[in-house]
Amino acid sequence: MSERAAPFFCPYCGDEDLRPNEQGHGAWECAACSRAFQLKFLGLLAPVTSGDSTGGEEI
Ligand SMILES: [Zn+2]
């Protein structure tokens, strides 16, 4: 039940040669620039209301 998210490109050099890092969940390392980084799930975005946002409705 892992919630892993695999990046497709290195956020630093843009290379695709990424491999999982042993640091923990969401940790990846780039073989091109030798950088290790970690993805973090921040949360879900608020649902976008269609139409104009002039109403200011509150639930
Ligand atoms: Zn890189």
Side-chain angles (χ1 to χ4, degrees):
M1 306 308 167
S2 60
E3 298 180 359
R4 290 176 296 183
F8 294 103
F9 300 97
C10 173
Y12 298 98
C13 71
D15 201 275
E16 301 180 25
D17 193 0
L18 302 177
R19 57 195 63 185
N21 187 274
E22 295 181 355
Q23 289 289 333
H25 292 290
W28 294 82
E29 58 188 31
C30 176
C33 64
S34 299
R35 284 187 172 93
F37 54 93
Q38 189 168 18
L39 299 179
K40 183 179 180 181
F41 176 70
L42 297 177
L44 297 176
L45 298 176
V48 179
T49 59
S50 61
D52 296 335
S53 59
T54 56
E57 296 180 352
E58 293 181 359
I59 300 175

